Amino acid sequence: DGGITQSPKYLFRKEGQNVTLSCEQNLNHDAMYWYRQDPGQGLRLIYYSQIVNDFQKGDIAEGYSVSREKKESFPLTVTSAQKNPTAFYLCASTPRDDKKELFFGEGSRLTVL
Amino acid sequence: AQRVTQPEKLLSVFKGAPVELKCNYSYSGSPELFWYVQYSRQRLQLLLRHISRESIKGFTADLNKGETSFHLKKPFAQEEDSAMYYCALYNFNKFYFGSGTKLNVKP
């Protein structure tokens, strides 16, 4: 079953702790993205990666970090420096072709207690 | 800076009525625009892209460069169209999304 898998679906964290959200895809897509979704604000880009071992900051990268050691994987770490980390996080990928269609995961909901 | 604006948070129509979800963008070049949809308990997915000039599930969207708009239209709404709709703009490997409009089609 091809697609994008995000885990965990729900995560609770205490203030001051780092947490890593997993995103794996078996679609052989080159580009991967992390978005944050807050009510009334749509999707805001955190980080994106076009190829392995390369990634760029999006519009709201502060307090987040990523790695892209494998084509299939693009984990997102929410660090303690992120001031308002409680949110819904979406991972997406797309092949580098003319269609530019994003394929999304089911999302991970992070709650900071 | 690129920006996508969806002015309506919620749009309620009756079944069979026409529907128009508004999207305006700010971009200096030739934009690539998309509509994404999220049905209840499903993943966000592509509905249509302006470059294809296609009609999907009865929806169409025309790019109006003069008004910098990309409104989504359907002449006769169905209950199964109830969902969250996002307008998106692509530029230099990044996708920018609007805040979304929730469409509620009443029976």
Side-chain angles (χ1 to χ4, degrees):
Chain A
D1 186 21
I4 299 180
T5 303
Q6 288 187 240
S7 63
K9 265 188 139 175
Y10 301 94
L11 188 60
F12 296 87
R13 177 196 106 175
K14 291 182 180 179
E15 275 193 32
Q17 290 180 334
N18 291 356
V19 62
T20 297
L21 307 180
S22 170
C23 178
E24 304 277 333
Q25 54 99 359
N26 60 6
L27 300 168
N28 199 33
H29 287 172
D30 291 299
M32 297 186 74
Y33 300 79
W34 273 106
Y35 286 93
R36 171 179 170 140
Q37 190 176 29
D38 295 286
Q41 296 196 52
L43 281 71
R44 292 183 291 167
L45 183 63
I46 305 173
Y47 268 98
Y48 63 107
S49 167
Q50 296 295 299
I51 55 172
V52 175
N53 292 323
D54 188 43
F55 49 83
Q56 287 78 39
K57 293 182 179 180
D59 298 323
I60 56 165
E62 186 175 348
Y64 299 97
S65 66
V66 293
S67 63
R68 187 84 189 276
E69 296 176 2
K70 298 186 298 182
K71 187 176 185 178
E72 304 80 21
S73 179
F74 192 42
L76 174 74
T77 297
V78 185
T79 75
S80 56
Q82 167 51 231
K83 291 185 174 25
N84 187 18
T86 294
F88 189 66
Y89 292 89
L90 278 170
C91 180
S93 70
T94 182
R96 294 176 70 185
D97 60 18
D98 290 341
K99 291 184 181 178
K100 299 186 182 68
E101 178 177 355
L102 279 171
F103 292 80
F104 283 88
E106 291 184 306
S108 294
R109 184 167 297 280
L110 171 64
T111 302
V112 175
L113 305 172
Chain B
Q2 295 80 17
R3 186 177 293 276
V4 179
T5 304
Q6 293 180 250
E8 304 138 330
K9 285 188 177 180
L10 174 65
L11 187 62
S12 285
V13 301
F14 284 102
K15 176 183 172 182
V19 64
E20 179 178 81
L21 288 82
K22 292 184 168 51
C23 172
N24 289 91
Y25 65 90
S26 61
Y27 180 65
S28 55
S30 293
E32 289 192 67
L33 289 153
F34 308 81
W35 277 98
Y36 279 79
V37 61
Q38 188 167 27
Y39 301 103
S40 179
R41 298 189 188 87
Q42 292 188 29
R43 303 180 186 211
L44 197 57
Q45 58 187 287
L46 178 67
L47 179 62
L48 55 79
R49 55 176 73 84
H50 93 271
I51 204 164
S52 301
R53 301 185 67 82
E54 57 203 346
S55 173
I56 304 292
K57 298 183 179 182
F59 283 98
T60 58
D62 291 320
L63 177 61
N64 186 323
K65 291 186 179 180
E67 295 182 358
T68 60
S69 68
F70 188 56
H71 303 328
L72 184 67
K73 300 177 185 179
K74 185 169 183 176
F76 308 103
Q78 303 299 314
E79 289 181 70
E80 56 265 30
D81 296 328
S82 295
M84 194 75 184
Y85 291 80
Y86 292 93
C87 183
L89 181 151
Y90 174 85
N91 178 43
F92 288 121
N93 300 321
K94 293 192 281 188
F95 293 83
Y96 299 90
F97 285 81
S99 55
T101 298
K102 185 173 182 178
L103 175 63
N104 180 32
V105 182
K106 298 176 282 189

